[in-house]
Amino acid sequence: MKVKVISRSADEFTRERSQDLQRVYHNYDPNLRPQEKAVEYVRALNAAKLEKIFARPFIGAMDGHIDAVSCMAKNPNYLKGLFSGSMDGDIRLWDIASRRTVCQYPGHKGAVRGLTVSTDGQVLVSCGVDSTVRLWNVPVATLTNSDDSADNSVEPLATYVWKNAFWAVDHQWDGDLFATAGGQVDIWNPNRSQPVNSFQWGTDTVISVKFNPGEPNVLATSASDRSIVLYDLRMSSPARKVIMRTRTNAISWNPMEPMNFTAANEDCNCYSYDARKLEEAKCVHMGHESAVMDIDYSPTGREFVTGSYDRTIRIFQYNGGRSREIYHTKRMQRVFCVKFTCDASYVISGSDDTNLRLWKAKASEQLGVLHPRERRKHEYHEAVKNRYKHLPEIKRIVRHRHLPRPIYKAAALRRTMIDAEKRKAERRKAHSAPGSVVTVPVRKRRIIKEVE
Amino acid sequence: MNRSHKEFRCGSNTLNNQQTIIGIVREWTNYITRSRSRDRDQIRMKNITKAILRALKYQESSRGIAFPFRQLTKEKRRELSRITELITHNRSGSGSIPRLAVYLVGPDHLIICGSGSGSGPDPSFCQPDSSPTSPPSLKPFSVVNHRSNNNHNRHRSICHLETEIFNQGQMGSKEDDGIHENILPPIEQEISDELNTKAKKYLRGEGADLKALQDKKLKGQLAVREEIYGKSAKAAAKIEKWLLPSEGGYLEAEGIEKTWRIKQESIAREVDILSSRNQYDIVLPELGPYTLDFTSSGRYMAAAGRKGHLAVVDMKNMNLVKEIQVRETVRDVVFLHNEHFFAAAQKKYPYIYNREGTELHCLKEHGAVLRLQFLRNHFLLASINKFGQLHYQDVTMGEMVGNFRTGFGRTDVMQVNPYNGVVALGHSGGTVTMWKPTTSAPLVKMLCHPGPVSALAFHPNGHLMATSGKEKKIKIWDLRKFEVLQSIPGHAKCLDFSQKGLLAVGNGSFVQILGDLSGSENYSRYMGHPMAKGYQIGKVQFRPYEDVLGIGHSTGWSSILVPGSGEPNFDSWVANPFETTKQRREKEVRSLLDKLPPETIMLNPSKIGTVRPARKKEKLTKQEREADMEAAIEDVKGIAMKKKTKGRNKSSKVAKKKQERVVKTKRPFLEQQLKEDQASAKKRQKLNEQVELPSSLQRFARKKTTT
């Protein structure tokens, strides 16, 4: 006879000293865990509810400007620094961590319209409606840390006066040229007082300009004649142009897929384009109730933030048709500029109420240093939520966002209008001869034509 | 080439020899493949071995024999390899047994060799004459693919094989090289096979059918997901194979002894002191028949005497935590989510006590309860009372979740299916009903026995149910098909399945343990234990994570050792027998957070989280319709004609009737087809006429054409 029975001595399975860790044993046999799917579902539901409870995206406001914030720029070499320009000609450098002004750059006579920082993070370029481009020295990071005084003002490195008011400025991602937008697109070398090159296609004002992150010589502009134009600095003439039904307020290139850019349009939508194929948008991002004023991609390229005239900020997936997140507060007015920080974890908005606001990019994310166990728990919650996201109960909780009453009403009204339009189109089609009415997909509907 | 082969090939005498070899080897192989358990008959083995060796004339020249066993299944092969290992390494102790070396070569062949009568394992037998220096391993055998010789008949091919094996240097080498490359070494092959079978358990069912999907994006996402699942299942299988700290218990008979004749005393002699402490009888004759319950970790036991004795015992160090006398009839006791709370079904109402023996709640709504059960995941206390009413109460908030009149009369046979939380009741009419707290009608009503159902138990994997009836039958049911798998004669007052699937049957003063020894869901006797005469067993329950069976009987309670019943490896996050106070508190909070709502109790709990399957294809194709019709006609033709009297059984009439039947069955199919044909023709005509009209006006078009 051979016999063996389970025999566990307590010494082997418990800790020896009270300082030791408790011993943990695992057995992954599914039979030991009955109804694991139900348990997982309950956990997913709880995770969804917890996410709602912990969704506190607003971190704080940065006040100091005395007029509406019109533009912002992030320093590619310094995570904590952020520049903002306002309608009264004030430019400030903010320390995001302490949410205080580090220094001010006085000099502009009218509104500052554009700000950008050079590739090495040393020079700040600003332009405004006073027809000047000013170059400023950016203080060294260590110096800004030690120096806490708020009225630390600097003299400009250079001031170039040009023919017309400027609307936007952008620096090359890799190189030392920068481009301004105004009556035409001007390409500047920081060492020269006059633009090295000028482009024009059409007579209307160019209102935004953005360099391509991958190809340093390619830039996209939008103009008030409702067009988006692509330029190449190596060519003497513009490359491409697409005319839409409404004006594009801002453009942002996807830093991870640099052939794609997203345009913030006046018609409440954002349109993602492939720069090689402009006859059709890749994706239409809907949700805003009023004109989208600014857009900025996350450095991960997976999502972007938009600010709108309807007093909300939304975060979209790069390929998602609806917003993932809606941020609003009672005091925030029309949003004129938004930026994703360089670590992709915060969003900053500048609005009409003279304040900059700092938001978390993930509303329910826990800030601070996470214990590995905490981090694993968050990851687990994320995974179960993702696994059961299609089930109605969880979907409802995850999707729900509270909206201020005016926006909610506007959304309802807009929905009614869109439905009515759709119904009308359907009826028109039904009452016309077969084939005479063609339904245009939404991705093409707002595009008038593409010009080469 | 050696002499014996020549002999095999030519003379008539040797032909006989050859046949005997083949016969014997076949017999031997059949024997070892058939006996799946480890208790092998030593004498028989010896005889067979001797016979083989005699046939091989191992003393003189013969080297061995190869036997193809490709036709065996993987499991059998694995078993075979284990046995061969045993033979080669273990059984050389006594000089009387001639040693036999058995090797597995590749996935296909078994090679049996006589190993001489030397003392230690002597590998020289496998060295061919031609190459005496080859290393003593499997290498000198060439792997010979049986398939390559299939133009020979069976006898010849084996013969051929032999020659090739033993003259590998000269003949077999040409075929060999190609085959060696793609075959893993046998041990690795075995391990990977084992891991694959283990991983199946962790995959939890079939993967998604990706081929049927149209959506490319979804297909890609699912493919990635499936890959992750496969990897994690494999990792879990590896953990199971290498990292688990303890191994399960077993009981093997040797020689002519039988496992069911082994007594508890003899087991106690063999096992360590710690385990032998688990055999005891507690005799408390005045306090009446006892019933037991264990906590989910098996650390604590609650015992309840009919005459009002309630006790909580710590089984680790055999401490009596608390005992109280409630001075009332106690019919049942059950632990709630941990050892700090237990519920006792007393004379008029069930009560909840804490570990100190303080009465916390009196659950008056339940009435005079006969049997209690606790659903751990849902925190529900289920009870069946004297009037056949089933109550579900949520013990966290105290809400009464369900209150149903079963309508089947009084019963005290109740069991929870641990797999899905469904409560099963056995009734006096022989039916078993299954209930969930959200519907007032039973989910399942199955007639299991012609007489009253006396006991009921569920396998922990939830697919097997054992019931016993008063008509001297114990039945094992497959709950996936609701079919009887096995019907075992015998009475049972109480039944219980262990974690490893052993079934304890208590009847009178005898406990029998049935085991699924063959792995084919065929229960046969494994152990037996007679109690002292006059003890009436009222409750048997296996202690989780231990090889122990607790028995509650008329004069106290007992505990016996049942090797191989418990799960050897516990999971600290599921049920920890060595739980500290802090861990218990944390676990209580965790389990309350994961408390399942009562709606999650359903027959198939894996349905949660799935979406409804796509609706069936509405329209059948023409071929399918015709096939259906053919099948229907065949069915009709198969029906035998009734014998009729008074001239109505004439062959002509029978033929006519048959014809009529065929026509009758054909009719609906043909009508359907006609209808569809007409409809499609009409549609086509319509399309042709109205192609110019917009869709909104098409509904007016027919009027226009008619006028």
Side-chain angles (χ1 to χ4, degrees), chain B residues 557-590:
Chain B
W557 73 83
S558 312
S559 160
I560 60 169
L561 287 177
V562 182
S565 66
E567 168 67 45
N569 297 295
F570 62 88
D571 190 310
S572 305
W573 304 117
V574 175
N576 186 359
F578 300 96
E579 205 166 47
T580 61
T581 314
K582 202 173 168 190
Q583 284 172 330
R584 192 199 60 233
R585 286 184 190 143
E586 270 180 24
K587 198 178 158 217
E588 192 172 12
V589 173
R590 251 169 232 284

Side-chain angles (χ1 to χ4, degrees), chain B residues 96-137:
Chain B
S96 63
I97 309 170
R99 225 156 338 102
L100 187 72
V102 187
Y103 277 99
L104 294 170
V105 179
D108 281 355
H109 292 108
L110 172 73
I111 292 176
I112 306 166
C113 300
S115 67
S117 55
S119 55
D122 176 18
S124 65
F125 59 87
C126 57
Q127 291 172 0
D129 290 352
S130 51
S131 58
T133 52
S134 55
S137 66

Side-chain angles (χ1 to χ4, degrees), chain B residues 68-310:
Chain B
F69 65 109
R70 197 191 313 124
Q71 54 269 50
L72 303 181
T73 58
K74 263 185 192 168
E75 283 84 358
K76 281 183 184 171
R77 267 189 237 169
R78 202 172 307 121
E79 183 61 28
L80 205 57
S81 68
R82 204 177 299 135
I83 291 162
T84 54
E85 222 174 78
L86 275 175
I87 295 169
T88 10
H89 299 298
N90 282 352
R91 304 295 157 89
S92 54
S94 58
S96 63
I97 309 170
R99 225 156 338 102
L100 187 72
V102 187
Y103 277 99
L104 294 170
V105 179
D108 281 355
H109 292 108
L110 172 73
I111 292 176
I112 306 166
C113 300
S115 67
S117 55
S119 55
D122 176 18
S124 65
F125 59 87
C126 57
Q127 291 172 0
D129 290 352
S130 51
S131 58
T133 52
S134 55
S137 66
L138 287 175
K139 289 281 158 58
F141 295 98
S142 59
V143 178
V144 181
N145 197 341
H146 193 62
R147 271 158 279 185
S148 62
N149 299 321
N150 56 7
N151 50 344
H152 301 273
N153 61 37
R154 198 177 176 77
H155 289 194
R156 278 211 49 180
S157 69
I158 288 171
C159 230
H160 184 62
L161 247 170
E162 283 177 60
T163 45
E164 277 187 348
I165 288 167
F166 301 119
N167 300 290
Q168 166 235 7
Q170 296 134 33
M171 293 169 70
S173 57
K174 274 175 230 156
E175 308 182 339
D176 296 344
D177 300 335
I179 301 154
H180 256 303
E181 285 165 8
N182 53 13
I183 292 173
L184 282 171
I187 293 167
E188 282 177 33
Q189 177 73 39
E190 191 187 319
I191 288 170
S192 79
D193 285 352
E194 196 182 342
L195 284 180
N196 282 343
T197 46
K198 276 188 175 149
K200 204 171 269 177
K201 176 170 73 179
Y202 296 103
L203 277 174
R204 296 163 169 85
E206 296 285 307
D209 181 18
L210 296 182
K211 275 179 192 158
L213 280 176
Q214 300 278 323
D215 188 347
K216 263 189 187 171
K217 195 173 166 188
L218 182 65
K219 208 187 222 176
Q221 285 169 347
L222 286 181
V224 171
R225 195 68 66 79
E226 288 294 329
E227 203 185 323
I228 293 169
Y229 289 159
K231 271 183 190 162
S232 66
K234 220 162 221 171
K238 272 185 187 161
I239 285 169
E240 190 192 324
K241 172 113 178 86
W242 305 113
L243 292 185
L244 291 186
S246 330
E247 278 179 27
Y250 54 83
L251 177 65
E252 282 178 16
E254 285 175 330
I256 53 168
E257 58 183 13
K258 306 287 182 202
T259 47
W260 55 89
R261 298 223 180 89
I262 295 171
K263 294 217 168 69
Q264 285 295 313
E265 295 87 71
S266 49
I267 291 177
R269 266 187 309 247
E270 299 281 325
V271 299
D272 54 342
I273 297 172
L274 206 68
S275 310
S276 61
R277 278 195 202 139
N278 282 324
Q279 287 179 335
Y280 56 84
D281 289 302
I282 305 287
V283 182
L284 297 158
E286 305 85 60
L287 297 173
Y290 270 84
T291 175
L292 312 170
D293 190 42
F294 289 103
T295 53
S296 63
S297 64
R299 171 83 182 259
Y300 294 90
M301 184 182 81
R306 183 92 180 169
K307 295 278 159 39
H309 178 215
L310 289 176

Side-chain angles (χ1 to χ4, degrees), chain A residues 135-152:
Chain A
L135 272 60
W136 311 83
N137 198 7
V138 176
V140 188
T142 50
L143 195 134
T144 58
N145 270 349
S146 62
D147 199 358
D148 242 10
S149 59
D151 48 9
N152 191 2

